[in-house]
Amino acid sequence: MTRKLIVLMCFLLSIAGISQTYKAIDTADYLQRKEFLKNFTAHNEGLIKGLRSQYSGRTGSEMSKIYKEFGTDFENQVKNKDFVFRSEFDVVIKSLVERLRKKNPKIPQDLKILIARDNTPNAYCLADGTFVINMGLYNWMDNEAQVAGVISHELGHKIEDHTLKSVLNIVEQNTLDKSTVQNIKETTGGRSLERNEKAFDILKNRIYKKSVEKRKLEIQADNLGYVIFKNSDFKKSEFINGLQKLQTFDTISPRELKIETYKKLFDLPKQAFNEKWMKKEDFSLYNYNFYKEKLNKDSLASHPEMVKRIESLKKAFPELNISEEPEKPSEAYLALKKTARMEILPNYFHSEDYGLGIYVAMQFFQDGEEEKYYKNWLGKCFSKIYEARKKYNLNRYLDRIEPKNQSESYQQFLNFMWNLSLDEIKNISEYYQANETVAKSK
């Protein structure tokens, strides 16, 4: 199950009282983005200069190259408006960081907050002190204390310089691998099969080693993050409660999208619903065991399973073995939770996940939420799907069916979408685009 698809489970969260006149977050923040980019570029250049002086030879050169490439990529994300500035989220996040900082002097003073237009419940901290919080975190967490727990975990990574250590490990491993591969070439001669097998063993061992190291770093960040969290005025049990919420994100599949919903949305005045649209592709004769996996997926997980992380924390901190119900969220948190929920569709549209956007809109429509709002997004997403179909690049915006990795409901949706002809997609797009224009004129 892909992480983006699992995000759709956040639709199960019931939020009442969302405004009928919701207006998407304003991204006209040119001056703020320009100022941020100026500072970020300067800090990244300073970091690269420091790495060259701290690490000599090839190691310093390779690390500098990695950070330069990362800096360029991150700058492009900022220019692409993947983050929002001066949003209502900023004040709350900054206040949570200040609450954590009061009795934790190790927390850096130069943290900068960015809110990402991403629906996954995640956060991360960059080497220069830029702290990124995904909007999706608010769709998943029960209260601000659980968000503070995630922030504490990421601060653990920051304080221990885990990113720098990981990059250094990659550079050192690259050097070792090149030496080993060269030795294989010299000792195996023209025996290509033996050479390939040995080369694959190097790759496999490297991936396993990298995964083991990442697991260790996650456990370390959990432990230090909890120390930061418990030193503050948050309820201790909320740290575990937050991890349990993320465990749910990792394991629960989206609920069913009913056939009746398709018929309600796509039985149009000028285009009657066609039962053939729901025809499923037959995968029953496909032998998925034909190709044997060479790598053990369980050993490749970069994050330990949440169950193991929670067990490790409870073992290290016995007070966490006492289960407590989550605290009630503040009104301010509920307001942000509502905003994050209404931004799910704009976020998918921004990231060009038009297929998921349609599936999301249909889920919301099925739940009876904001019918006009989500029908409008149906029109927008279908217009992009139509353009992609015309240009023969629909694969960029709509998943192919993967029976082993997708829920039956999502497979049914993908069958429906791929069964539509170009003209049928056009008719759906025009119908909902026309309805959007009528709604705006009223």
Side-chain angles (χ1 to χ4, degrees):
M1 184 65 61
T2 62
R3 291 184 66 81
K4 285 182 178 179
L5 179 55
I6 297 174
V7 170
L8 305 190
M9 270 305 298
C10 66
F11 303 157
L12 292 175
L13 298 170
S14 177
I15 301 177
I18 297 176
S19 171
Q20 295 275 342
T21 58
Y22 177 77
K23 186 177 181 181
I25 290 177
D26 185 10
T27 57
D29 44 25
Y30 172 76
L31 294 178
Q32 289 78 23
R33 281 186 289 116
K34 182 179 179 181
E35 183 65 19
F36 174 85
L37 284 170
K38 178 182 176 182
N39 293 331
F40 176 80
T41 302
H43 287 149
N44 202 52
E45 288 176 353
L47 175 63
I48 292 171
K49 185 177 180 180
L51 289 172
R52 285 187 176 277
S53 62
Q54 185 177 356
Y55 300 96
S56 60
R58 177 174 290 182
T59 298
S61 177
E62 288 294 319
M63 292 184 71
S64 298
K65 180 181 178 181
I66 290 173
Y67 273 98
K68 185 175 182 179
E69 290 176 351
F70 168 79
T72 300
D73 181 67
F74 191 76
E75 288 171 11
N76 288 335
Q77 291 180 47
V78 175
K79 292 174 183 177
N80 191 47
K81 297 186 178 181
D82 290 353
F83 309 97
V84 295
F85 294 82
R86 296 183 64 182
S87 71
E88 52 264 52
F89 292 92
D90 290 357
V91 176
V92 175
I93 296 297
K94 288 176 181 177
S95 68
L96 292 178
V97 172
E98 287 306 313
R99 285 174 68 179
L100 292 168
R101 184 182 279 127
K102 281 183 180 179
K103 295 185 179 180
N104 293 287
K106 288 187 177 181
I107 295 179
Q109 294 292 326
D110 61 344
L111 295 179
K112 296 169 286 294
I113 307 298
L114 277 186
I115 306 300
R117 301 184 65 179
D118 192 317
N119 293 325
T120 56
N122 199 11
Y124 56 94
C125 193
L126 308 183
D128 75 322
T130 299
F131 211 103
V132 178
I133 305 290
N134 288 357
M135 282 188 199
L137 203 60
Y138 280 82
N139 277 319
W140 215 255
M141 296 301 174
D142 293 319
N143 51 51
E144 47 267 86
Q146 291 177 10
V147 174
V150 174
I151 293 174
S152 298
H153 171 89
E154 296 305 325
L155 286 171
H157 282 306
K158 169 64 178 172
I159 292 170
E160 292 295 325
D161 277 332
H162 283 166
T163 300
L164 180 62
K165 291 176 182 176
S166 296
V167 171
L168 179 59
N169 180 266
I170 290 172
V171 171
E172 291 176 342
Q173 190 64 47
N174 278 340
T175 302
L176 179 61
D177 288 349
K178 287 178 182 178
S179 175
T180 306
V181 169
Q182 182 60 36
N183 183 55
I184 290 173
K185 289 180 179 180
E186 293 172 356
T187 57
T188 57
R191 292 167 289 175
S192 59
L193 179 60
E194 181 183 357
R195 182 185 298 177
N196 289 341
E197 288 178 349
K198 287 186 176 181
F200 180 77
D201 285 340
I202 292 174
L203 171 64
K204 180 175 65 175
N205 291 333
R206 178 177 182 179
I207 293 175
Y208 287 170
K209 182 178 178 181
K210 183 179 179 181
S211 298
V212 169
E213 288 300 319
K214 282 193 173 184
R215 288 193 186 103
K216 289 179 180 178
L217 296 183
E218 291 303 318
I219 295 296
Q220 289 176 13
D222 276 341
N223 289 343
L224 180 53
Y226 176 65
V227 171
I228 292 171
F229 189 80
K230 77 171 185 175
N231 286 344
S232 307
D233 58 352
F234 296 102
K235 187 177 177 181
K236 296 181 180 63
S237 59
E238 292 296 356
F239 194 88
I240 288 289
N241 288 341
L243 289 180
Q244 289 172 336
K245 294 293 291 186
L246 293 177
Q247 178 187 343
T248 304
F249 171 79
D250 280 342
T251 58
I252 294 183
S253 301
R255 64 191 173 105
E256 180 185 6
L257 189 59
K258 299 175 183 178
I259 301 300
E260 290 76 13
T261 302
Y262 289 88
K263 294 180 178 180
K264 287 180 181 178
L265 286 169
F266 303 116
D267 188 15
L268 309 181
K270 296 182 180 180
Q271 181 172 282
F273 184 84
N274 190 337
E275 294 290 344
K276 292 182 179 179
W277 293 341
M278 307 307 293
K279 182 180 179 181
K280 294 182 180 180
E281 191 171 348
D282 184 11
F283 293 92
S284 61
L285 299 179
Y286 188 85
N287 182 8
Y288 291 100
N289 295 318
F290 184 78
Y291 297 100
K292 298 296 182 182
E293 290 182 309
K294 291 187 176 183
L295 298 176
N296 183 337
K297 288 184 178 180
D298 290 339
S299 66
L300 301 184
S302 60
H303 282 61
E305 293 179 3
M306 279 302 167
V307 173
K308 294 181 180 178
R309 287 175 62 180
I310 292 171
E311 287 176 352
S312 178
L313 275 167
K314 289 182 176 180
K315 184 176 180 180
F317 305 97
E319 68 269 22
L320 292 177
N321 287 284
I322 302 173
S323 299
E324 295 185 58
E325 289 296 315
E327 292 182 329
K328 289 185 178 181
S330 67
E331 291 298 321
Y333 183 81
L334 286 176
L336 288 179
K337 197 176 182 75
K338 292 175 184 177
T339 298
R341 185 171 174 84
M342 297 300 283
E343 288 293 324
I344 289 174
L345 265 295
N347 289 344
Y348 277 134
F349 193 82
H350 173 76
S351 62
E352 298 185 342
D353 290 311
Y354 306 126
L356 278 175
I358 292 171
Y359 191 57
V360 168
M362 292 175 69
Q363 284 276 9
F364 277 126
F365 176 83
Q366 180 172 280
D367 293 343
E369 292 189 34
E370 297 293 312
E371 184 174 315
K372 288 183 179 179
Y373 182 73
Y374 293 113
K375 281 186 175 181
N376 288 344
W377 281 106
L378 269 182
K380 292 176 181 179
C381 289
F382 262 105
S383 68
K384 293 295 185 180
I385 291 292
Y386 174 64
E387 291 174 11
R389 188 68 175 266
K390 279 199 304 182
K391 296 176 182 178
Y392 300 99
N393 62 354
L394 187 55
N395 278 321
R396 288 181 57 187
Y397 312 107
L398 185 66
D399 292 335
R400 282 292 186 180
I401 300 168
E402 300 177 20
K404 292 184 70 176
N405 299 317
Q406 298 163 341
S407 69
E408 289 188 13
S409 177
Y410 191 57
Q411 289 179 57
Q412 175 66 83
F413 167 74
L414 293 176
N415 273 292
F416 165 77
M417 292 297 295
W418 285 105
N419 286 339
L420 292 171
S421 69
L422 180 64
D423 285 341
E424 289 166 342
I425 294 173
K426 180 182 179 181
N427 291 336
I428 294 172
S429 170
E430 289 179 347
Y431 175 78
Y432 282 107
Q433 291 281 71
N435 279 353
E436 181 181 358
T437 303
V438 171
K440 286 183 177 179
S441 66
K442 288 183 179 179

